[in-house]
Amino acid sequence: MSFDLSVFSNKNILLAVTGGIAAYKSAILVRRLKDYGFNVRVVMTHGAQAFITPLTFQALSGNPVHTELLNPEAEAGMGHIELARWADLLLVAPASCDTLAKFAAGLADDLLSTLYLATKAPVWVAPAMNQQMWAAKATQRNLNTLVEDGVHVIMPDAGSQACGDVGLGRMPEPEHLADQVKDYFHQAQRAIAEKFGLLAGKRVTITAGPTREAIDPVRYISNHSTGKMGFAIAAACYSAGAKVTLLAGPVSLDTPNGVKRINVSSALKMLDESMKQLEEGCDIFIATAAVADYRVAEVAEHKIKKAGDELNVALIKNPDIVATIAQQKKRPFMVGFAAETRHVEEYAAGKLVAKKLDMIACNDVSRTDIGFASDQNAMTVFFAEQYQMEKRDLEKASKQEIAQQLIEAIHDALHHEIEPV
């Protein structure tokens, strides 16, 4: 799965580090959170500073480290109340036995315990301590209190401990904690998208990449499509709240997060899967795949051996997938793509009408700065006559940006259709 990490760039993680040998893991945790794009600030208790220095966290987070409740310099900049307001999540890792007790008792005698009471952000604790301290009735009673108060407790791992004991009490690995934070914010954003996104509740099927038409067991006919544009559109549709199925030709791309991927090879298999999606329910069909126009009439059972200077192979026409779907009785909103090398807009406008599409996006693949192998694209979008919408020129930009603009165009068309007279 691939994630668009830019979505986390406006999320603030306040990481609190308390006293314990596991504090060294928190340095790695900061790095992993930063890798995901989060803004990170660190709070350290006095006990934590006995195990690792504030300078380490300042270097890793790129922000000053907060250690004192009553610090004149801190109060002049970001006081404890402002720090509490800044956080989108307060993550305490490691969370010592003492810290859990303070939280449960409602004490506010240092910076961290004050932040705990002052923040409206969700609070997560990752306890780390000796196995007997973890099992102690008082600790378990404090944990139960915190859970009742809405604190999310990340269970410790079992294993060898610094003191020589073996049992529960090890702080989970930093990568695991960072993944939990990432998944939490992703799910929260997904819930918002499913309710308020431009394509909220829509079922979208997208075809992407090339097809391969076999000549014999080792040879095939194909094209230069990389699938990048289709995959970018799939990711954008999912971010816009849609349920997305991606019918992917043979490409080397990671599946966008949250997208259901079905791998296909030939045009006939892509058509078969497209029809299945139509039967299962499809509101929008986006055909970005570069489907081979022809296939070999008779595929050789074994590898064809060289036997002369020429090889004649009979080709027959493949079905037009987007036109076939558009002709169905219960047709979805149809979006076609036209990759041309000349007369781009003229050919695209003709396809829009001939294939009975609702919308078509066209680009000039003869340009070396956009198109198949490039990470950038530029397109012109045409709409069917009944939408009464002018064409849109999408200037050169990343394929992710173009994808977002295409989603906006689809949304606008869906809400702009004029009923036939």
Side-chain angles (χ1 to χ4, degrees), residues 252-280:
S252 300
L253 295 173
D254 291 334
T255 306
N257 183 62
V259 171
K260 177 183 178 182
R261 178 175 179 172
I262 300 174
N263 291 322
V264 296
S265 54
S266 68
L268 292 179
K269 289 182 179 179
M270 186 171 282
L271 175 60
D272 181 57
E273 288 295 341
S274 296
M275 294 300 291
K276 288 180 181 178
Q277 293 303 311
L278 202 62
E279 293 172 3
E280 293 177 8

Side-chain angles (χ1 to χ4, degrees), residues 1-8 36 38 179-191 193-194 204 206 230-246 253-261 400:
M1 293 286 186
S2 62
F3 283 85
D4 177 8
L5 302 183
S6 64
V7 300
F8 301 132
Y36 282 139
F38 292 107
D179 283 344
Q180 288 193 53
V181 173
K182 175 198 68 178
D183 291 343
Y184 167 77
F185 281 102
H186 176 264
Q187 290 168 12
Q189 289 175 325
R190 178 60 181 172
E194 288 180 342
V204 179
I206 301 170
F231 275 61
I233 293 172
C237 286
Y238 179 76
S239 295
K243 180 179 180 181
V244 184
T245 299
L246 179 62
L253 295 173
D254 291 334
T255 306
N257 183 62
V259 171
K260 177 183 178 182
R261 178 175 179 172
Q400 287 73 25

Side-chain angles (χ1 to χ4, degrees), residues 370-391:
I370 62 170
F372 286 141
S374 175
D375 290 327
Q376 296 187 310
N377 216 339
M379 291 188 163
T380 300
V381 178
F382 294 91
F383 303 90
E385 185 177 357
Q386 69 265 26
Y387 295 96
Q388 298 183 11
M389 295 173 64
E390 295 182 357
K391 72 173 184 177

